[in-house]
Amino acid sequence: MGQIFACENQDGIAVVKFDVPGEQMNTWTEGAIADFAVTLASLEKEKSAYKGVIFISGKASNFHAGANLNMLGAEKDLAEFRKGCDEFNAMFVRLENLGIPTVAAINGPCMGGGYEFALTMTARIATDSKRTTIGLPECNVGVIPGGGGTQRLPRLIGYPALDFIPRGAVLPAGKALEAGMIDRVIPEGENLLAKAKEFLLEIVAGAAGLKRVKPDLSALDTALEAAKKNVLKATRGRAIPAPMLALKAMSEGLKVPIEQGLKIETDCFIEALKAPESKGTINTFFLKTLSDKPQAMIPKGFEPKPIRKYGVLGFGTMGRGIIINILTRTKLPVVVKDVAGALEPGMAFVRKILEGMAAKNRLKDPVDSLMALVKPVAEWTDDFKDVDIVIEAVFEDPAIKDQVYKELCPVVPKDCILATNTSSLPVDKLSGSVLHPERFIGAHFFSPVWMMDLLEIIRGKATSDATVNNMLAVCAALGKRPVVCNDNPGFVVNAMLFPYFIKSFELLAEGVAMEKIDAAMMKFGLPVGPIRLTDEVGIDVSYLVLTKSLGMVPPVALENIYKAGRYGRNKNGKGFYTQEGGPDPEALPLINPDNKQKEYSVTELQDMLFTPFIKTGYELLQKKVVADPRAIDIGAIWGVGFPSDKGGPMKWADLIGLSEKLYGKKFYK
Ligand code: NAI
């Protein structure tokens, strides 16, 4: 037997323990596949010595996580890869036809190629541990199940598979049992191997009560149509390759014998892999993993400053959001300062949001106990004496912010972290009025704070490494995803957005219809188009940030509409669009004074609007605002809603050849 799969004869049962060394999760590495082949061959040879086989993980709380994404994401020779797929599938078919009962004993994640492995066995038993999750999440990482999942799961559980697979659904043990994906669940803490042996012996004796009725798939086409509609609804009408190809594999493969079905699945799998969206989605998965744990970015040996109490300045939109975030994530006391008249409405808003969360069972603590942690004040009271961090979110006016820092610094401890939530003022300029500016840093939250994942952490010239590291620890405590950057007009996210907005306004003045511009970018995958987004956020805000903070020349369309007092649909009811949603006829002569008419195809519009993202991204790297294109992509995906199947703008530019066309090289190394 090999290194990874170790078989032992225990009372006439072959117990095969598998454990990929040096990895947290078992995955199908090249070594694991080769070793499985050896194990399978010897089981085939010696099967008469056994009543059956149990496959169990040697890792404490992980069955098998499936394909190795590093392997999947790498460039490969597709003809070779197809050969590998065929061989892999052939092994699963041999295991399926071993001739003696086989049982998967599942503890922890059993996903993708790991669950496909379990699907080839006679039956599956799992613990009800919180870590036990079962399913085929491949479509969420840009591929489709390629180890028989699209063929075996619907043949086992019927129509629900048509919903689970394109969604990449992963179920806890209880739900997987209900769906028929596994056959038995035991409480966590019981001896899984002993229970699996009992189960296997029951199967041998024909007493396990396995329900193996062939599901009725006579209305397959109708069910597939419904599944396709659901997929398109979830992607706002975009036919992303992976889920569509998973449906194709089921649509064609379930009508023929499984051996042929497996070949169809492999064709679809390879087609999915060829699509750039596959590499884009895998990149997003890695970016998510990278930014999931901001504390991992803190150098080893650095002890973050303990945070026991927060201070927030400004109880407006952002101050309220930040407080909700602090309460729900840290349960620490917060003192908030604003003018007296702002305190009541601020508290009422925080309570309303918390109550909404409680009503949806999303809050572990009673609303009253969280509200009791907030101390609203209108003066510099002693409450500021022991704060460990203050987040400032007062008006976006440098004079006001300067004044606030001058008052704040003498009343807080001198090692208190001071973070500004400014969205556009240079951190370096603001730091001028801060005592001990090495503790001053930008912390740019996104609205609504309790829902948006991203936090831009902006290092000014004076900011110390310790402050950046402490802010990363705060970012982790608040459950945010960080983009750490150097000070720069618009930091990363707004710096990327504004050139894109400018291009969209220029297109308006050329005579392109606003709804066509917005529709093109929604088709590209953004949650909302640039014109509608400006309307929603506030035309005045965009205009002022663009002209005052970023020092850019406003395009005619924006200039005219701002000067006409149209500040946005949500601001004063007047913007680009009417309240009913269509283009506002009053806005048209302002944005297109010469009444021009211009038509571009959807692809042309997308190209013209995507390119400014990339040009800015290139500049951010050249200016060393960020060290790595990954930071830009994290900012765009979690700050702007850039489509995850494209892997971020910089990755997408690499994948479609734009970076090479513009700059002669890829952004990602
Ligand atoms: P807001 O106008 O809703 O709230 C600002 C609050 O600051 C008001 O309640 C005001 O009374 C208070 N304030 C003014 N002067 C003060 C002082 N001297 N002491 C204490 N409180 C004072 O503004 P919003 O939208 O919350 O913005 C705050 C900051 O956050 C700004 O720097 C803004 O650029 C930034 N920001 C805003 C985002 C948004 O989506 N609204 C997103 C990210 C950052």
Side-chain angles (χ1 to χ4, degrees):
M1 287 280 166
Q3 307 277 302
I4 296 171
F5 288 80
C7 180
E8 204 181 289
N9 187 336
Q10 295 185 12
D11 312 317
I13 295 174
V15 175
V16 181
K17 237 184 206 172
F18 52 93
D19 192 344
V20 178
E23 300 281 340
Q24 214 185 338
M25 297 273 214
N26 289 315
T27 58
W28 287 116
T29 58
E30 277 174 28
I33 295 171
D35 206 47
F36 175 59
V38 176
T39 306
L40 180 63
S42 79
L43 283 172
E44 284 172 329
K45 220 164 90 196
E46 294 157 13
K47 66 181 176 195
S48 58
Y50 299 119
K51 295 177 202 131
V53 191
I54 291 171
F55 285 93
I56 189 164
S57 166
K59 296 196 192 289
S61 55
N62 157 240
F63 180 76
H64 202 294
N68 188 298
L69 284 182
N70 283 313
M71 274 166 65
L72 268 191
E75 290 298 334
K76 51 181 73 67
D77 172 344
L78 288 178
E80 271 297 303
F81 188 75
R82 178 184 293 272
K83 214 172 121 222
C85 288
D86 288 344
E87 286 167 8
F88 187 67
N89 267 317
M91 287 199 288
F92 276 2
V93 171
R94 278 163 56 202
L95 180 62
E96 194 168 33
N97 297 321
L98 189 62
I100 53 172
T102 45
V103 166
I106 302 165
N107 58 325
C110 170
M111 305 214 278
Y115 180 56
E116 290 175 306
F117 175 42
L119 272 174
T120 63
M121 300 182 207
T122 315
R124 292 148 287 279
I125 179 170
T127 68
D128 69 356
S129 147
K130 261 202 188 133
R131 280 186 53 84
T132 301
T133 43
I134 294 162
L136 298 170
E138 285 87 342
C139 286
N140 286 338
V141 283
V143 287
I144 73 163
T150 64
Q151 303 304 305
R152 290 193 180 90
L153 189 61
R155 282 176 168 89
L156 179 71
I157 67 166
Y159 296 133
L162 275 50
D163 167 49
F164 292 165
I165 294 177
R167 266 202 300 126
V170 171
L171 277 60
K175 292 262 179 239
L177 180 71
E178 268 172 39
M181 293 168 71
I182 55 176
D183 304 288
R184 195 167 281 192
V185 173
I186 60 160
E188 186 182 10
E190 286 197 3
N191 184 329
L192 176 62
L193 180 58
K195 292 286 170 193
K197 284 181 184 170
E198 281 174 28
F199 188 34
L200 181 78
L201 294 177
E202 284 175 40
I203 295 171
V204 173
L210 290 182
K211 297 181 215 101
R212 290 290 183 265
V213 187
K214 218 171 149 209
D216 172 17
L217 292 174
S218 55
L220 184 65
D221 287 335
T222 318
L224 279 161
E225 260 324 295
K228 194 168 167 183
K229 265 201 193 131
N230 280 342
V231 170
L232 289 175
K233 201 170 148 202
T235 59
R236 290 187 297 263
R238 296 169 62 229
I240 294 170
M244 287 297 148
L245 287 162
L247 288 171
K248 183 174 175 211
M250 292 191 273
S251 150
E252 294 175 12
L254 295 176
K255 294 174 184 152
V256 294
I258 187 157
E259 301 72 43
Q260 272 169 271
L262 290 170
K263 294 252 175 264
I264 292 170
E265 182 189 83
T266 303
D267 289 342
C268 293
F269 181 59
I270 291 191
E271 209 177 317
L273 211 54
K274 276 201 283 195
E277 285 84 353
S278 151
K279 291 198 178 65
T281 312
I282 293 178
N283 194 57
T284 300
F285 177 83
F286 286 129
L287 295 177
K288 183 174 178 303
T289 315
L290 181 75
S291 56
D292 260 347
K293 292 206 162 56
Q295 59 275 43
M297 297 180 190
I298 299 173
K300 282 217 164 60
F302 179 84
E303 270 303 315
K305 172 185 160 67
I307 306 289
R308 287 154 301 214
K309 184 174 178 184
Y310 282 81
V312 171
L313 304 181
F315 213 177
T317 308
M318 295 308 284
R320 296 168 183 187
I322 293 166
I323 289 172
I324 293 163
N325 191 195
I326 294 170
L327 294 176
T328 52
R329 285 289 180 159
T330 71
K331 289 176 225 157
L332 286 171
V334 197
V335 51
V336 50
K337 181 176 181 295
D338 203 315
V339 292
L343 303 181
E344 229 357 270
M347 291 297 274
F349 182 87
V350 172
R351 179 177 282 280
K352 190 179 94 191
I353 297 295
L354 293 180
E355 280 171 352
M357 290 179 179
K360 288 187 190 139
N361 271 335
R362 296 211 183 119
L363 211 58
K364 287 197 199 100
D365 304 271
V367 172
D368 283 342
S369 73
L370 291 179
M371 289 305 295
L373 293 166
V374 189
K375 175 96 186 269
V377 297
E379 302 297 331
W380 295 109
T381 56
D382 280 354
D383 299 285
F384 282 93
K385 265 192 173 155
D386 57 350
V387 286
D388 299 300
I389 175 168
V390 170
I391 303 170
E392 169 274 306
V394 303
F395 293 141
E396 186 76 337
D397 178 332
I400 295 181
K401 289 196 194 278
D402 281 352
Q403 182 60 33
V404 166
Y405 300 153
K406 283 192 181 121
E407 291 169 13
L408 166 77
C409 288
V411 297
V412 294
K414 63 178 189 306
D415 67 341
C416 170
I417 304 164
L418 303 182
T420 173
N421 182 42
T422 178
S423 46
S424 58
L425 301 170
V427 171
D428 283 333
K429 236 186 182 159
L430 294 176
S431 73
S433 24
V434 174
L435 276 179
H436 310 293
E438 65 281 359
R439 59 170 164 170
F440 187 66
I441 194 161
H444 184 216
F445 290 84
F446 291 73
S447 182
V449 180
W450 64 96
M451 287 168 82
M452 293 291 285
D453 268 3
L454 197 71
L455 176 64
E456 279 182 298
I457 297 180
I458 304 109
R459 176 201 280 270
K461 284 202 179 74
T463 312
S464 67
D465 287 348
T467 303
V468 174
N469 294 332
N470 282 326
M471 201 61 219
L472 280 167
V474 170
C475 177
L478 296 178
K480 297 284 176 229
R481 225 171 264 292
V483 164
V484 180
C485 63
N486 289 322
D487 199 10
N488 173 62
F491 315 131
V492 171
V493 173
N494 282 338
M496 298 280 287
L497 271 178
F498 275 91
Y500 156 72
F501 284 154
I502 288 177
K503 184 71 207 174
S504 71
F505 298 133
E506 287 171 356
L507 288 169
L508 283 181
E510 264 189 59
V512 184
M514 62 177 87
E515 61 277 29
K516 288 204 172 149
I517 296 174
D518 283 340
M521 291 323 277
M522 287 181 73
K523 267 221 162 88
F524 183 83
L526 285 163
V528 51
I531 311 295
R532 197 173 285 281
L533 182 59
T534 311
D535 219 350
E536 303 284 329
V537 172
I539 294 167
D540 53 340
V541 176
S542 296
Y543 183 84
L544 293 175
V545 171
L546 187 87
T547 50
K548 290 242 166 93
S549 306
L550 304 180
M552 292 178 172
V553 181
V556 180
L558 183 66
E559 172 94 1
N560 289 352
I561 203 142
Y562 173 77
K563 294 257 158 86
R566 303 182 74 90
Y567 294 157
R569 235 160 55 106
N570 293 339
K571 279 279 165 79
N572 61 359
K574 290 182 192 164
F576 294 106
Y577 288 97
T578 61
Q579 292 300 335
E580 289 71 42
D584 193 327
E586 285 180 28
L588 295 177
L590 297 165
I591 58 179
N592 179 10
D594 303 331
N595 196 20
K596 294 185 200 156
Q597 300 283 327
K598 184 82 192 176
E599 288 283 339
Y600 288 109
S601 71
V602 170
T603 324
E604 282 171 330
L605 286 174
Q606 290 173 341
D607 288 349
M608 282 188 282
L609 286 160
F610 175 56
T611 305
F613 271 107
I614 297 315
K615 292 198 166 157
T616 315
Y618 178 74
E619 274 172 35
L620 292 174
L621 289 170
Q622 290 298 101
K623 290 198 291 185
K624 299 202 167 22
V625 174
V626 288
D628 194 292
R630 286 168 185 81
I632 299 173
D633 285 345
I634 291 170
I637 294 171
W638 285 283
V640 181
F642 198 86
S644 59
D645 55 287
K646 291 189 160 65
M650 307 307 272
K651 184 68 185 182
W652 191 243
D654 281 356
L655 289 170
I656 62 170
L658 185 61
S659 43
E660 280 179 309
K661 187 176 141 202
L662 292 177
Y663 306 111
K665 59 174 193 242
K666 287 194 158 100
F667 294 122
Y668 275 64
K669 300 235 162 52

